[in-house]
Amino acid sequence: MDKLIRITTVPISLEKLLEGQLNFMSDYFEVTAIAAEKEKLEKYGRDVGIATYWVEMTRAITPLKDLKALFKMYRFLRKEKPLIVHTHTPKAGIIGMTAAKMAKVPLRFHTVAGLPLLETSGNKRKILNKVEKLTYAMATKVYPNSLGLKEIIIKEKFARAEKLKVLGRGSSNGIDTQYFDAAAYSEEFRKKLREELSIPIQDKVCIFVGRLVSEKGINELVNAFERLSKKHSEISLLLVGDYEKELDPLKEETFRKIKNDPKIFTTGFQQDVRPYFAISDILVFPSYREGFPNVVMQAGAMNLPAIVSNINGCNEIINHNINGLIIEVKNEDALKTAMEKLLLNSDLIKKMKNNSREIISSNYNREDFWNILLEEYRNQKAN
């Protein structure tokens, strides 16, 4: 059986972004997962029955640590002699693709699920541009997970168009529409959870799921909600996710508003976000950049319309006025207007709810994506 190595910077990407995919591939390949955070990686391996190999990697620019990781990974790949090395996330991409090239791995694939460098400038941007180009140069095939991302890569001249391919309709893993199904939650359950969170039963709830950081548009979201709640009392904002105070912290003013506003509720990171979608009315996702956001697909599968930024991925999942609204990036006024439009129009919300799950089920079903990727592996091997 051919060997397949999948590499991400940290294990949570294996758990969340690629959930179930490595198990599926293990029926066809001898699969090993590589990531940092040894204990978490080994737990992941035990939980899903996949072999693992620990290589310490950081999300920051750390040249000495990166060189150490590179040579450790190179030695492992040279010993294992896999047919395929497939990387995800920027740091795993540059280290994994370089090590695989050095080890003469025949098929070197890299999935691009977003470009953090788009929100940087100056010398840091120049460095990240070079790293991105080098990653793609070392790969034999690059898979942007959205059509918009593919166009950005071509525009930035990171790679030639013929090296790029979007699998299916986009995404890195599709969505398990049987798992994300609002029908699993009764009215009694929803009422009880709202009571536990102290969210008023009569309120319309806007939910955000993800990292509570600036580049996700949280500063604009909190400001827009605060302005809107002064006009309309029966609305609440539910924030599901952790803060990241080191890499991309929120403004101090935003922290204060979240803490002090009685209509803003936080849960911290949640392993299972479905109950929180189930008690909400709309997803608000004003991110500055994405690849192909799982959260928007998850919400859609749970019958939620979404307000999203006009960025790649988001504007491919959401059809304006069909299953959500698309607004300008970093535009607090546009965000407030869109929230008001949906929250005050029950018929519009109902129409979009009816469309949301069908669009996700038809275009982004998880097992369909797995089979598309498996076929791609086979085709690349044949070529």
Side-chain angles (χ1 to χ4, degrees):
M1 189 178 284
D2 291 323
K3 292 182 179 180
L4 166 65
I5 309 289
R6 301 295 293 270
I7 309 173
T8 64
T9 307
V10 291
I12 195 169
S13 298
L14 297 167
E15 297 168 19
K16 292 296 182 182
L17 300 182
L18 301 177
E19 184 180 13
Q21 191 179 126
L22 274 63
N23 303 74
F24 173 84
M25 290 298 171
S26 67
D27 289 338
Y28 308 94
F29 297 93
E30 186 179 326
V31 179
T32 300
I34 299 179
E37 299 177 359
K38 187 175 182 180
E39 289 184 4
K40 291 180 180 179
L41 176 65
E42 290 176 349
K43 182 180 184 302
Y44 164 79
R46 290 193 300 271
D47 289 347
V48 302
I50 296 291
T52 61
Y53 183 72
W54 167 66
V55 175
E56 193 56 47
M57 291 175 279
T58 66
R59 291 166 64 187
I61 299 173
T62 52
L64 292 177
K65 290 181 180 179
D66 296 343
L67 279 173
K68 185 177 179 181
L70 171 63
F71 283 107
K72 182 176 181 181
M73 196 175 293
Y74 161 69
R75 287 193 296 269
F76 178 77
L77 296 178
R78 188 177 63 175
K79 176 173 70 74
E80 291 295 310
K81 296 181 173 57
L83 172 70
I84 301 170
V85 168
H86 189 164
T87 59
H88 302 255
T89 66
K91 183 58 71 72
I94 184 60
I95 293 175
M97 287 294 94
T98 303
K101 176 79 171 178
M102 290 167 58
K104 299 181 180 179
V105 176
L107 300 178
R108 305 179 300 277
F109 303 148
H110 178 62
T111 290
V112 187
L115 289 169
L117 59 84
L118 296 177
E119 290 300 317
T120 63
S121 59
N123 288 332
K124 184 178 180 181
R125 174 65 182 266
K126 291 177 183 177
I127 292 170
L128 293 176
N129 281 353
K130 289 179 180 178
V131 168
E132 207 71 17
K133 285 183 180 180
L134 182 59
T135 301
Y136 301 169
M138 296 293 181
T140 55
K141 199 75 178 178
V142 177
Y143 300 105
N145 72 350
S146 75
L147 296 169
L149 200 51
K150 178 182 177 182
E151 293 306 311
I152 292 171
I153 291 169
I154 294 170
K155 181 182 176 183
E156 296 288 338
K157 299 181 179 178
F158 291 153
R160 303 183 312 277
E162 54 267 30
K163 185 175 264 193
L164 307 173
K165 183 176 183 179
V166 177
L167 297 173
R169 298 292 297 271
S171 172
S172 299
N173 201 35
I175 281 293
D176 185 343
T177 53
Q178 290 185 322
Y179 183 78
F180 286 96
D181 187 351
Y185 297 91
S186 66
E187 284 300 320
E188 182 181 354
F189 173 89
R190 298 174 198 217
K191 181 180 179 181
K192 183 179 178 183
L193 182 55
R194 280 203 180 203
E195 288 174 349
E196 289 175 0
L197 295 171
S198 300
I199 298 175
I201 296 299
Q202 72 277 8
D203 275 16
K204 290 280 200 307
V205 176
C206 303
I207 186 173
F208 169 89
V209 177
R211 294 177 298 120
L212 303 183
V213 294
S214 291
E215 71 174 14
K216 292 294 186 181
I218 302 300
N219 294 308
E220 291 87 350
L221 173 56
V222 169
N223 288 342
F225 175 80
E226 183 185 55
R227 291 166 57 194
L228 195 59
S229 63
K230 288 177 180 177
K231 293 174 60 180
H232 308 286
S233 60
E234 294 188 346
I235 61 173
S236 292
L237 176 61
L238 178 58
L239 303 175
V240 180
D242 277 341
Y243 297 104
E244 281 191 8
K245 296 186 178 181
E246 293 180 4
L247 291 178
D248 187 27
L250 299 176
K251 295 177 180 177
E252 284 300 324
E253 179 187 8
T254 304
F255 279 119
R256 287 195 299 272
K257 287 179 179 179
I258 292 172
K259 183 178 179 180
N260 296 325
D261 193 321
K263 284 301 191 78
I264 299 180
F265 303 87
T266 60
T267 68
F269 173 79
Q270 296 294 320
Q271 195 72 27
D272 186 358
V273 297
R274 294 173 301 164
Y276 303 95
F277 283 133
I279 62 169
S280 301
D281 295 281
I282 61 173
L283 172 72
V284 187
F285 198 73
S287 182
Y288 298 172
R289 63 162 190 90
E290 291 293 327
F292 206 86
N294 282 330
V295 166
V296 180
M297 291 189 290
Q298 291 167 357
M302 295 285 292
N303 296 328
L304 290 192
I307 298 170
V308 300
S309 307
N310 189 16
I311 56 175
N312 60 273
C314 289
N315 57 16
E316 295 168 47
I317 301 168
I318 298 302
N319 299 317
H320 190 65
N321 279 327
I322 303 299
N323 61 336
L325 299 174
I326 300 173
I327 61 168
E328 294 176 27
V329 184
K330 303 180 185 181
N331 190 321
E332 181 186 315
D333 290 337
L335 180 55
K336 174 182 171 292
T337 300
M339 291 167 70
E340 192 166 30
K341 179 178 179 178
L342 280 185
L343 291 170
L344 298 184
N345 192 330
S346 296
D347 289 339
L348 183 59
I349 284 185
K350 184 178 179 180
K351 183 191 91 169
M352 289 183 177
K353 279 178 176 284
N354 290 337
N355 294 333
S356 294
R357 182 171 172 82
E358 174 59 30
I359 288 173
I360 299 302
S361 299
S362 299
N363 295 295
Y364 307 111
N365 183 58
R366 177 160 288 176
E367 290 198 18
D368 292 342
F369 180 85
W370 291 345
N371 281 294
I372 289 169
L373 179 58
L374 177 61
E375 188 64 23
E376 178 68 8
Y377 283 167
R378 288 170 168 166
N379 290 340
Q380 290 295 322
K381 178 183 177 181
N383 291 335

